[in-house]
Amino acid sequence: MLPAGPHALLVELNDGEHAEAFHAELIRRRARGELPAVRDIVPAARTVLLDGITDRAAEAEAEAEAAAAAGPWSGGISGARDRLARDLASWRVEAVPRADREPVEIPVIYDGPDLDEVAALWGVGPDAVGALHSRTAFRVAFCGFAPGFGYLAGLPERLHVPRRTTPRTRVPAGAVALAGPYTGVYPRVSPGGWQLIGRMPDPSGLWDPAREPAALLGPGTPVRFVPVGADGGTVPVPEPRAGTTPTPRANGRRAGA
């Protein structure tokens, strides 16, 4: 755990699964009223930021304790934050249960400009990319990059792909993309360096400031991609052929989108 300014903690975890489990535990405890006042809980790839720790009464108490027993968290740092840090270190965090919520379904037309390149990296034909991708159970690990953009985890390691060598200056809204261990859907037009394998016909629901919550894909949300045709109708997904098991070609790098 690292201090981040006078009223925030940055908790570093071993990997994405531990970060997701820790974030879920924070949300559960806050819902039960067992968490001190924390304004924001922000998960990332391997960290969770707790910001706005402003329990004044606890702060005064912890400051007095810190003065009596000097330690690594004593002396001029928020007392409420110090006490929370000590509490967090004693937590037992369980793994996130799976299949406890119905997934959000994202329709996707698999015709992205990088489909052939991803197929080559996976060692399959282009038609198999949509089949393998849509059969994967995804969940939102964390959000970032742009409002409504979720980093979806779930791809097995053999399907991880690198970012493009040269990012695009303009990625269309609704583009379905891959990079490293993640899948994402661009909620609006923006630059981007991920491999584009398809598109969501109508991405307007990914981010709606007039809705609560504004983001369709929040941390922990299960997601399933549903192949559709250009007319919006569902299309059959071919079964993987024998002997077309993907082989690892490259490990992705995680950064940006």
Side-chain angles (χ1 to χ4, degrees):
M1 281 174 279
L2 302 171
H7 299 293
L9 275 175
L10 183 67
V11 184
E12 295 183 332
L13 288 307
N14 290 334
D15 52 36
E17 289 193 10
H18 284 85
E20 183 181 359
F22 183 69
H23 174 256
E25 182 69 21
L26 287 166
I27 298 302
R28 281 195 295 269
R29 294 195 182 219
R30 182 162 69 175
R32 296 197 299 256
E34 299 174 357
L35 195 66
V38 176
R39 186 184 64 238
D40 296 316
I41 300 174
V42 184
R46 293 178 55 188
T47 63
V48 178
L49 177 71
L50 296 95
D51 195 10
I53 306 169
T54 55
D55 186 333
R56 299 300 182 189
E59 183 174 358
E61 180 182 341
E63 292 288 359
E65 293 177 359
W73 295 90
S74 67
I77 306 176
S78 166
R81 185 191 59 191
D82 296 352
R83 191 170 71 170
L84 178 57
R86 290 193 293 270
D87 289 344
L88 296 178
S90 67
W91 282 14
R92 178 183 177 85
V93 178
E94 303 292 340
V96 176
R98 302 301 181 201
D100 59 343
R101 297 167 56 185
E102 288 297 318
V104 172
E105 294 189 344
I106 303 290
V108 54
I109 302 170
Y110 286 100
D111 62 354
D114 299 323
L115 200 63
D116 289 346
E117 183 172 343
V118 169
L121 290 168
W122 285 3
V124 301
D127 290 346
V129 172
L132 291 165
H133 186 257
S134 62
R135 286 190 170 89
T136 301
F138 290 99
R139 67 186 181 284
V140 181
F142 58 97
C143 298
F145 173 64
F149 188 94
Y151 289 74
L152 278 60
L155 278 176
E157 186 172 358
R158 66 181 185 276
L159 300 185
H160 296 181
V161 299
R163 289 164 51 89
R164 288 173 50 81
T165 304
T166 304
R168 292 182 171 88
T169 57
R170 186 182 189 282
V171 174
V176 177
L178 307 177
Y182 301 115
T183 283
V185 187
Y186 287 76
R188 61 185 182 186
V189 176
S190 63
W194 289 22
Q195 309 273 2
L196 308 185
I197 61 170
R199 54 192 165 97
M200 182 180 179
D202 179 7
S204 60
L206 291 172
W207 176 254
D208 181 359
R211 185 184 60 201
E212 179 60 40
L216 177 65
L217 306 179
T221 302
V223 177
R224 184 170 76 91
F225 290 93
V226 179
V228 298
D231 60 356
T234 57
V235 296
V237 176
E239 293 290 339
R241 299 190 303 273
T244 60
T245 301
T247 54
R249 295 289 300 275
N251 288 325
R253 295 166 291 180
R254 60 177 67 175

